[in-house]
Amino acid sequence: MRNIIKNMESNENVAEQIFCNEVAWHKLSVFLRQSTPSKVFIITDQNTQTHCLPYFREKIRLALDFHIIAIEAGEIHKNINTCTSVWATLAEKGADRNSVVINLGGGVITDLGGFVASTFNRGLKFIHVPTSLLAMVDAAVGGKNGIDLGHLKNKIGLVNPPQMGVVDTGFLKTLPREHLVSGLAEMLKHGLIFSEAYWEKVRNCNLAAAPQFEELIWESIEIKKTIVAQDPTENNIRKTLNFGHTLGHAIESFFLENNGLKPLLHGEAVAAGILMATYISSEICGFPKRKLQEVSSTICNYFNKITFTEEAIEAILRLLVFDKKSRNGQVLFVLLEDIGRTKIDCIVSNDLIYTAFGYYKNF
Ligand code: GLY
């Protein structure tokens, strides 16, 4: 862990600044003291306000008057109406160009809070304090901010990195297990697209073994930072981070837009997307069959199987066209030739996607 923190610090002028545990709180305190903001706003949701804000206050022992803006929790609130209400509160409470926004929460808060801050007064400084595993290893890293358009995930947004990320794994103690596992989907993805050694570690990890699991979190953040630093605006290598997300986002959108269905956690949808994208990879990119078995059983060990009706599959295929990576109406997948060897912009036929759903169902 020490090495990774050291690397993070030594990279601080060239890459996104993400700090860990005590170092992170120290860096945040110094930043808040030295930048003398006119006001500091904390954007949070009702859950994190209860479970994480007290811990945040314990760690930041500064005599600062924080203005708390709490929104309702959940992906269904990651929309323009919530933004309008947060912008109005910022205006009412006198936020100006010298104000700072702290986004304290999971991926919904870091995505929406980053978007609100980036657009208010043409841009306020903001800091991410991710409190979920998913936000720590993915949403809060890489500067993507945004909101959903109806049920279309992250359709509106921009890339604008925060001043810094404060990652404290102490927040994970209050996280329900299914949210922890949801974050694990992104860590598994980092292994599959970047490093077989890391994949081996994550697929065999013990979520309850604190120090070892913490090491894997820092490593995941490093992988994402390394990829983003090479291609911040997603023209080539950053696209690999979308592995499993083409289908994953469409699946998530389908469950969001169907009121009778319980919305899926992001990682649950992405895990299914990863399994199916790996199957497709084995069909058209030569991804080894033995490793397909390994990926499929790993995903099925951690995640409950999602049931898809014929109508659901049809609807998900229609939603694929809205994927941000589609070009001229053609959906483009990230696939794998092997673990750590990616292929971007792959065209996949609808027939093969259907077969992938069949493989998923019967595995
Ligand atoms: N979550 C994918 C990316 O940040 O590029």
Side-chain angles (χ1 to χ4, degrees), residues 138 141 144 189 224 234 238 241-242 245:
D138 187 32
V141 184
K144 278 189 182 173
K189 177 197 77 181
K224 177 146 186 197
E234 198 172 298
R238 187 168 184 169
L241 288 165
N242 295 315
H245 284 62

Side-chain angles (χ1 to χ4, degrees), residues 220-231:
S220 218
I221 294 171
E222 273 299 296
I223 290 174
K224 177 146 186 197
K225 277 180 64 185
T226 303
I227 293 173
V228 171
Q230 293 171 61
D231 177 27

Side-chain angles (χ1 to χ4, degrees), residues 3-51:
N3 279 346
I4 291 167
I5 292 174
K6 216 163 134 236
N7 287 343
M8 285 180 173
E9 289 197 87
S10 65
N11 279 340
E12 67 188 34
N13 292 326
V14 289
E16 197 172 335
Q17 300 196 61
I18 297 177
F19 304 108
C20 305
N21 292 350
E22 291 313 316
V23 173
W25 294 115
H26 173 71
K27 293 275 182 185
L28 178 57
S29 300
V30 169
F31 173 80
L32 291 175
R33 258 201 316 268
Q34 290 182 348
S35 60
T36 58
S38 51
K39 291 198 160 89
V40 183
F41 294 88
I42 298 183
I43 302 182
T44 186
D45 66 36
Q46 287 152 349
N47 291 338
T48 31
Q49 185 174 20
T50 308
H51 298 293

Side-chain angles (χ1 to χ4, degrees), residues 242-253:
N242 295 315
F243 178 66
H245 284 62
T246 307
L247 274 166
H249 274 157
I251 293 168
E252 196 180 354
S253 293

